[in-house]
Amino acid sequence: MWRRVASVSHLFSHSKSTKFNQGASTFKIWETFTSESEIPTPSKGSPFITFVLGGPGSGKGTQCAKIVEAFGFTHVSAGDLLRREIASGSAYGSVILSTIREGKIVPSQVTVELIQKEMESNDNYKFLIDGFPRSEENRKAFEQTIGAEPDVVLFFDCPEQEMVKRVLNRNQGRVDDNIDTIKKRLEIFDELNWPVINYYSQRGKLHKINAVGTVDEIFEKVRPIFAPLSK
Ligand SMILES: Nc1ncnc2c1ncn2[C@@H]1O[C@H](COP(=O)(O)OP(=O)(O)OP(=O)(O)O)[C@@H](O)[C@H]1O
Ligand SMILES: O=c1ccn([C@@H]2O[C@H](COP(=O)(O)O)[C@@H](O)[C@H]2O)c(=O)[nH]1
Ligand SMILES: [Mg+2]
């Protein structure tokens, strides 16, 4: 487990310094990933992190399940961690619940701590972080606490009308699957998630996937991104 080592930041410090903190020449190497055909080679010594972004109902969780099956990632859904926190009756539970009901964003410190714990308690080194970061503040808090940036960022690009339709048909009893909350979530997504998407696009890490079509058709667009990885 990651926990066996002193701290997660320690583990991640290698990837942080080698990938991003060595000046212009290193940055040029990363720019080559804008080709969208290459991803960094994972090594078992440091975590391989994929952020999975997209609006509400764009199909992030659905595609994560397929990626887990095909490529052996561990799925860490930030929303699921927060819902689990509510169900556990934790001290943060009621504030998380009201934030989710309002379609707003839970304070970064809470979410990052939950993600960190989940990663630390897992033997795997390949992680899909689903539905996070939702804002630049989230992104910076993750980098600061964990000490790493993602290796790959997926963005499921889906028209609003389709997202609304999917969410309203989801039928999983989520408190935020109603038209009022969806409208708010879409507004927050537009306001706060786009800067994150643009940030990773500029870093040459973004893989934008057209999320319209059947689940299998969309996965066939995802598969080549991870093809260099073995399960
Ligand atoms: N390609 C698709 N076509 C039609 N329905 C889909 C497709 N992908 C997912 N769905 C359905 O749409 C709903 C939303 O999908 P999913 O939960 O994966 O989205 P999400 O991006 O994780 O949403 P959220 O951000 O709200 O958690 C689910 O009921 C799912 O079964
Ligand atoms: O990083 C996060 C992730 C989620 N939230 C809150 O949870 C809901 C549901 O998230 P899903 O990813 O759709 O499961 C979201 O609308 C936020 O209210 C969060 O605050 N931070
Ligand atoms: Mg989801």
Side-chain angles (χ1 to χ4, degrees):
M1 290 185 194
W2 296 111
R3 192 188 286 138
R4 279 190 217 122
V5 188
S7 78
V8 176
S9 328
H10 167 73
L11 254 177
F12 286 85
S13 63
H14 168 74
S15 58
K16 189 184 187 185
S17 60
T18 55
K19 287 174 189 164
F20 303 109
N21 286 355
Q22 289 181 355
S25 60
T26 307
F27 190 68
K28 274 200 187 116
I29 295 169
W30 278 84
E31 280 176 341
T32 63
F33 292 121
T34 52
S35 68
E36 298 202 355
S37 59
E38 290 175 67
I39 58 172
T41 309
S43 94
K44 289 195 177 172
S46 62
F48 184 91
I49 299 173
T50 297
F51 282 163
V52 183
L53 307 180
S58 57
K60 301 180 295 296
T62 304
Q63 292 300 321
C64 281
K66 308 273 291 178
I67 299 166
V68 166
E69 196 187 334
F71 297 106
F73 278 77
T74 290
H75 181 200
V76 179
S77 158
D80 285 351
L81 293 177
L82 293 168
R83 286 182 283 273
R84 196 166 82 191
E85 198 65 7
I86 296 168
S88 77
S90 96
Y92 295 133
S94 61
V95 78
I96 296 173
L97 177 59
S98 56
T99 307
I100 289 180
R101 264 192 218 286
E102 290 168 25
K104 293 184 178 163
I105 299 177
V106 171
S108 298
Q109 198 196 335
V110 173
T111 315
V112 171
E113 196 180 303
L114 292 173
I115 293 172
Q116 184 179 30
K117 270 194 207 149
E118 195 67 11
M119 293 175 78
E120 285 182 344
S121 65
N122 203 292
D123 277 332
N124 201 351
Y125 66 100
K126 292 185 277 186
F127 294 98
L128 289 174
I129 315 274
D130 167 5
F132 181 95
R134 291 178 116 85
S135 65
E136 280 287 275
E137 201 235 322
N138 270 180
R139 179 184 69 71
K140 288 173 191 163
F142 181 91
E143 276 173 26
Q144 224 166 29
T145 307
I146 308 289
E149 290 203 8
D151 297 280
V152 174
V153 180
L154 303 182
F155 166 47
F156 290 98
D157 189 23
C158 194
E160 276 196 16
Q161 217 185 345
E162 176 68 16
M163 292 194 276
V164 171
K165 191 175 87 184
R166 288 182 191 174
V167 170
L168 291 178
N169 286 331
R170 180 155 45 192
N171 243 346
Q172 288 174 3
R174 279 178 49 164
V175 295
D176 51 351
D177 280 357
N178 59 77
I179 192 63
D180 289 340
T181 310
I182 293 163
K183 280 184 190 159
K184 288 177 195 152
R185 293 171 70 196
L186 286 168
E187 276 168 24
I188 301 262
F189 175 78
D190 272 347
E191 188 188 333
L192 299 179
N193 213 219
W194 278 109
V196 178
I197 292 163
N198 290 334
Y199 175 86
Y200 288 123
S201 177
Q202 280 160 15
R203 306 284 284 183
K205 294 184 172 196
L206 193 80
H207 295 258
K208 180 170 144 180
I209 296 134
N210 179 351
V212 179
T214 67
V215 170
D216 287 344
E217 281 167 353
I218 295 162
F219 184 62
E220 288 314 313
K221 296 178 214 163
V222 173
R223 192 195 293 280
I225 298 168
F226 294 112
L229 308 184
S230 57
K231 193 169 174 184

